[in-house]
Amino acid sequence: MTVRFEAVGNQFMLNGEPIRIISGAIHYFRVVPEYWKDRLLKLKACGFNTVETYVAWNVHEPEEGQFCFEGLADLVQFIQVAGDLGLHVIVRPSPYICAEWEFGGLPAWLLRYSDIRLRCSDPLYLSKVDAYYDVLIPKLTPLLCSNGGPIIAVQIENEYGSYGNDKAYLEYLRQGLISRGVDVLLFTSDGPTDSMLQGGTLPDVLATVNFGSKAMESFAKFREYRADEPLMCMEYWNGWFDHWMEKHHTRDAADVAAVLDEMLSADASVNFYMFHGGTNFGFYNGANHIKTYEPTVTSYDYDSPLSESGEPTEKYYAVREVLQKYVDIPPISLPEPILRKRYGEVRLTECAMLLQQLDSLTSKSSGINPLPMEKLGQNYGFIVYSTWVSGPRHGQDLHLQDVHDRAQVFMDGSYIGSVERWNPQPIRVHVPESGARLTILVENMGRINYGPLLKDYKGITEGVRLDNQFLFGWDMYPLPLSKPVELDYAPIGKMNVISNEPAFYRGTFEVDAAADTFLRLDGWKKGVAYVNGFNLGRYWERGPQKTLYVPGPLLRSGTNEIVIFELHGAIDPVVSLEDLPDLGSTTAVEQEIISFSDTEEV
């Protein structure tokens, strides 16, 4: 049945009847497909009538011209499941999504075009958006409410006023949606400041605002620009995300409920960002850069009403209690709890040293200068640079100019130090008279997802020098490592595991019934974990996150495989699979963080 959803004066209308949108964000690409229905049922049971999702371009076009809409990327199936459950859907397919997601959702291959200008009317950039939309939008149009589907509204661009003011660009995107058949309500979303509302909106397109507190103040600013439109907070930040080397953020449930009550009392609609955060699986975490580079952790729990593994929290019930004051909600009916299990310790019994097997792992490229990943056709993972240094040299400083994001440096195979983007200290080196082989392993820890520094090339981006002398003539080994690679493993008992040497560790464990579990890596330093070939994401002893979420559907009855790529060597290669998460020590989200300013969203 065709549905008409529109903004009429200060009210949303559905088929001519007033409606308040109570929406929650769930990103399909952060949740295994087997759990989409569970999370959506819990959204509905909380009293919500709508689900909102971003659409991540880099998930759907991982390589230029190669498209993926399967598995975690099956956007159509996610929307259909929501519709089958009676939920409306808001889709935000902006080329850029922020979302603490790698490169704000933009595909890394865009950076292979050196002169491209992002998020503006640059013809090259727009041609790439058009090619993507030519594939994406026809998948969405049958799901529009005007065609009997659940999609009631579509976003044009995301928080554009926080980045630019190119109205021709916004209009181009708008017309691109319309010309491809999108005939439902279009909207923009921005922070409630003068510059953001001026730069990010179009005069005849619905505007919405994003904030975490000070609702009346935010809506008052919005009203200065839009006196006769519905009030809607498109992103109500009811929690917050975490960076490595910081504490885990939480926000008091009573505070979240109070701000929601304030919004609803003003007859506003709302979209919870996030209702269920999920996980930055693989290498898809983003990063911020305000004063320095800050990479986001693997978990995207966000202290949401539903935890990372889908359990209702205290915040869930506090929100539902407020909603009962404003909308009719049937008695709560939740799906059966998902089984969680402790499988115990797993000893990894085999090991393969990375640097000893480089030539069998990847194709070598050679060049005068060390090139960033993108120039070698690589998007994510790691890259090794190697060159010969003549000797003797005594007490010279090795400078990596500039490393994005973290490098381990070896001289003739021996570790001599690490260089980190946020603390780029030189390394003092000594080269014997016979010379030495300099090898540098660089980790891409996630591209910046917000702000003016989006063009975030990875690897060594400028050059390497000893004191003021640049070193030329490099071999380069791309290591995407999106999944475990074929290696010659040896039993750990027959080899000497060397501290600070990057290596792969492999082991197995038995499962009788597959259940959710949490991989704990006490004693490990830094690296990436894989279960049955699936990249769970990064771990790091600096925290805050101490466990990695392993959804039950990734496991199978019988024998299961764990591979750990550890950058600094594991003296005792044992992990454990626990039944409880550990996201680290906490800090309360401060109100000034939740309030929108010109430096947010950070």
Side-chain angles (χ1 to χ4, degrees):
M1 181 181 71
T2 299
V3 172
R4 187 175 76 258
F5 178 74
E6 55 193 339
V8 180
N10 290 338
Q11 180 69 60
F12 288 120
M13 306 289 285
L14 186 70
N15 287 337
E17 296 294 327
I19 183 175
R20 187 202 300 264
I21 298 301
I22 307 295
S23 175
I26 301 176
H27 299 154
Y28 58 96
F29 46 85
R30 281 177 158 135
V31 183
V32 294
E34 294 87 345
Y35 287 165
W36 287 344
K37 185 176 181 180
D38 173 82
R39 305 321 193 235
L40 290 166
L41 282 170
K42 289 169 180 172
L43 175 86
K44 187 173 182 180
C46 194
F48 287 61
N49 57 24
T50 304
V51 63
E52 175 270 316
T53 185
Y54 279 131
V55 180
W57 183 0
N58 52 13
V59 168
H60 296 298
E61 194 177 4
E63 294 292 343
E64 186 170 9
Q66 299 177 18
F67 296 93
C68 177
F69 290 90
E70 300 173 347
L72 282 166
D74 195 345
L75 169 64
V76 169
Q77 180 65 23
F78 177 80
I79 295 171
Q80 287 174 336
V81 171
D84 290 344
L85 296 178
L87 291 166
H88 306 301
V89 179
I90 295 172
V91 175
R92 302 167 77 186
S94 308
Y96 164 84
I97 63 173
C98 187
E100 292 72 59
W101 191 251
E102 221 278 339
F103 201 10
L106 299 174
W109 53 258
L110 287 174
L111 298 179
R112 297 174 199 171
Y113 297 92
S114 300
D115 296 330
I116 198 167
R117 301 303 297 265
L118 305 173
R119 301 183 72 192
C120 67
S121 297
D122 173 50
L124 177 59
Y125 174 70
L126 293 179
S127 71
K128 306 306 177 186
V129 175
D130 281 336
Y132 168 51
Y133 273 15
D134 284 344
V135 176
L136 171 69
I137 302 305
K139 295 181 181 297
L140 296 177
T141 50
L143 301 169
L144 301 175
C145 64
S146 55
N147 293 321
I151 299 176
I152 58 172
V154 174
Q155 182 173 265
I156 290 175
E157 232 273 8
N158 185 58
E159 296 181 315
Y160 187 65
S162 299
Y163 183 82
N165 66 349
D166 187 346
K167 296 303 180 81
Y169 166 61
L170 293 179
E171 183 61 31
Y172 186 93
L173 293 180
R174 177 197 184 197
Q175 292 301 325
L177 293 172
I178 293 171
S179 67
R180 291 174 175 88
V182 177
D183 57 0
V184 298
L185 184 68
L186 300 178
F187 68 93
T188 59
S189 63
D190 287 280
T193 71
D194 289 309
S195 64
M196 293 173 185
L197 289 168
Q198 291 167 24
T201 60
L202 288 173
D204 53 350
V205 173
L206 175 73
T208 63
V209 286
N210 304 336
F211 53 82
S213 64
K214 301 180 181 178
M216 293 303 99
E217 179 181 322
S218 299
F219 284 146
K221 176 55 67 175
F222 173 78
R223 279 285 178 242
E224 292 178 18
Y225 290 85
R226 301 295 175 104
D228 191 31
E229 285 188 4
L231 290 177
M232 179 157 189
C233 177
M234 185 53 67
E235 292 188 16
Y236 171 35
W237 307 321
N238 63 97
W240 208 246
F241 55 93
D242 296 338
H243 293 132
W244 293 112
M245 302 175 284
E246 297 176 2
K247 290 187 176 182
H248 171 51
H249 289 97
T250 61
R251 186 177 179 190
D252 183 70
D255 179 42
V256 168
V259 175
L260 173 63
D261 201 350
E262 187 180 12
M263 279 191 276
L264 298 183
S265 68
D267 200 29
S269 292
V270 63
N271 177 55
F272 272 61
Y273 191 96
M274 299 289 297
F275 181 83
H276 170 54
T279 309
N280 297 316
F281 292 120
F283 297 132
Y284 277 119
N285 67 278
N288 291 107
H289 196 304
I290 303 302
K291 295 180 180 178
T292 189
Y293 175 79
E294 298 176 292
T296 302
V297 304
T298 299
S299 170
Y300 201 64
D301 176 85
Y302 209 89
D303 192 38
S304 299
L306 285 187
S307 72
E308 180 181 11
S309 52
E311 290 83 15
T313 65
E314 178 188 358
K315 192 174 292 182
Y316 180 97
Y317 294 103
V319 165
R320 192 176 191 278
E321 185 175 349
V322 171
L323 291 179
Q324 287 177 317
K325 296 168 52 179
Y326 297 91
V327 295
D328 292 330
I329 302 176
I332 191 166
S333 177
L334 291 168
E336 286 295 315
I338 291 173
L339 182 65
R340 293 194 297 185
K341 191 167 183 179
R342 181 185 186 276
Y343 294 102
E345 286 192 348
V346 180
R347 180 164 291 277
L348 309 188
T349 58
E350 297 178 295
C351 182
M353 296 298 183
L354 171 71
L355 298 181
Q356 297 173 10
Q357 300 192 44
L358 269 182
D359 288 319
S360 63
L361 276 177
T362 183
S363 299
K364 179 179 71 175
S365 297
S366 298
I368 299 171
N369 293 291
L371 298 175
M373 287 182 178
E374 296 82 0
K375 298 299 182 182
L376 297 173
Q378 181 184 355
N379 296 330
Y380 313 114
F382 300 77
I383 187 168
V384 172
Y385 301 93
S386 184
T387 192
W388 182 259
V389 181
S390 61
R393 296 170 185 253
H394 301 294
Q396 286 195 305
D397 284 339
L398 178 71
H399 299 267
L400 308 187
Q401 187 182 317
D402 289 313
V403 64
H404 289 192
D405 301 302
R406 187 175 186 272
Q408 291 165 257
V409 184
F410 303 84
M411 194 71 78
D412 279 341
S414 296
Y415 174 76
I416 61 172
S418 296
V419 178
E420 297 168 329
R421 179 175 180 176
W422 52 92
N423 185 30
Q425 299 299 313
I427 298 174
R428 182 61 56 91
V429 300
H430 303 277
V431 181
E433 184 174 354
S434 57
R437 171 63 56 177
L438 174 65
T439 303
I440 305 169
L441 171 65
V442 180
E443 178 185 4
N444 166 358
M445 291 187 64
R447 288 182 184 83
I448 293 166
N449 57 252
Y450 176 85
L453 303 178
L454 279 178
K455 265 195 171 182
D456 189 11
Y457 291 92
K458 294 303 186 181
I460 294 175
T461 60
E462 295 293 336
V464 178
R465 54 187 171 85
L466 283 171
D467 288 344
N468 287 330
Q469 183 184 80
F470 280 98
L471 302 179
F472 296 112
W474 290 86
D475 294 330
M476 292 163 277
Y477 301 84
L479 296 168
L481 300 186
S482 58
K483 57 185 178 180
V485 289
E486 293 296 324
L487 291 162
D488 291 328
Y489 283 89
I492 289 178
K494 296 183 179 180
M495 64 189 305
N496 180 27
V497 177
I498 304 171
S499 178
N500 282 311
E501 182 164 343
F504 296 85
Y505 298 81
R506 185 169 67 179
T508 61
F509 64 100
E510 298 299 314
V511 167
D512 49 1
D516 282 4
T517 191
F518 301 88
L519 178 64
R520 192 169 188 99
L521 296 123
D522 292 344
W524 298 74
K525 303 288 187 184
K526 190 180 196 305
V528 183
Y530 309 84
V531 169
N532 292 331
F534 185 90
N535 188 336
L536 295 176
R538 312 170 203 271
Y539 65 90
W540 197 4
E541 64 176 353
R542 296 188 191 176
Q545 184 173 357
K546 300 297 184 184
T547 57
L548 295 179
Y549 174 47
V550 185
L554 300 182
L555 304 180
R556 52 183 177 242
S557 296
T559 302
N560 293 258
E561 180 188 70
I562 294 180
V563 173
I564 306 293
F565 178 45
E566 164 61 47
L567 295 171
H568 291 278
I571 303 305
D572 185 22
V574 175
V575 300
S576 63
L577 293 164
E578 306 293 337
D579 58 0
L580 291 174
D582 184 351
L583 299 181
S585 58
T586 62
T587 184
V589 178
E590 299 173 4
Q591 286 303 303
E592 58 264 29
I593 294 177
I594 291 296
S595 302
F596 209 106
S597 72
D598 286 340
T599 60
E600 302 300 329
E601 129 193 354
V602 296

